[in-house]
């Protein structure tokens, strides 16, 4: 049996690689480790997120996954304020101040999870 020991990266199809790169690096603090004009690979801690330019026949943006959940070391209130300051609409689960949901520029649903 093959035994996996982690996720190397996930791929999100995006309509504008530079715009998405800016969102993920400047707002979410990820760092680039490889890129070209059609794709960029980012580190999110020890995992990776890859942004691939969506081709005309590719998967629909935002419809190729349910959501991407990221662990963060902050508070609900401070991150909600930061996202809203940048014009990003946010939501959460009713009665749960441990996570926040918001869309990226292509409509992918993202979740931030606050660990105590």
């Amino acid at each position: 049996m093959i035994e996996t020991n982690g996720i190397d990266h996930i791929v999100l199809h995006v309509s504008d690689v530079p715009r998405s790169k800016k969102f993920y690096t400047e707002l979410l603090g990820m760092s680039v480790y490889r890129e070209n004009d059609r794709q960029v690979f980012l580190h999110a801690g020890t995992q990776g997120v890859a942004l691939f330019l969506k081709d005309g026949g590719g998967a629909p943006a935002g419809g190729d996954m349910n959501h991407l959940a990221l662990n963060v070391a902050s508070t609900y209130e401070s991150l909600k304020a930061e996202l809203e300051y940048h014009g990003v609409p946010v939501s959460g689960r009713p009665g749960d101040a441990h996570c926040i949901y918001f869309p990226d520029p292509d409509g992918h649903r993202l979740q931030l999870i606050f660990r105590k």
Side-chain angles (χ1 to χ4, degrees):
M1 173 193 296
I2 297 172
E3 292 185 32
T4 60
N5 62 7
I7 296 172
D8 183 78
H9 69 274
I10 63 159
V11 174
L12 302 176
H13 292 104
V14 301
S15 59
D16 184 327
V17 172
R19 178 188 68 183
S20 294
K21 174 185 169 184
K22 180 177 180 175
F23 180 87
Y24 281 87
T25 58
E26 294 182 13
L27 187 58
L28 298 180
M30 294 184 189
S31 60
V32 175
Y33 68 91
R34 188 171 73 230
E35 69 181 305
N36 62 41
D37 62 331
R38 297 188 51 82
Q39 53 192 225
V40 61
F41 288 80
L42 307 163
H43 279 134
T46 59
Q47 277 76 47
V49 174
L51 307 172
F52 285 18
L53 182 62
K54 178 184 164 197
D55 291 324
D64 49 351
M65 68 168 196
N66 182 279
H67 72 278
L68 167 62
L70 304 166
N71 289 317
V72 293
S74 190
T75 65
Y76 178 92
E77 294 80 15
S78 65
L79 286 174
K80 181 177 185 294
E82 177 76 11
L83 291 165
E84 289 175 339
Y85 174 80
H86 289 282
V88 178
V90 299
S91 64
R93 287 188 288 217
D96 186 355
H98 294 102
C99 71
I100 192 168
Y101 293 93
F102 58 98
D104 78 357
D106 284 277
H108 296 105
R109 189 171 176 222
L110 305 179
Q111 177 187 24
L112 300 180
I113 299 174
F114 313 98
R115 302 286 183 207
K116 290 185 177 184

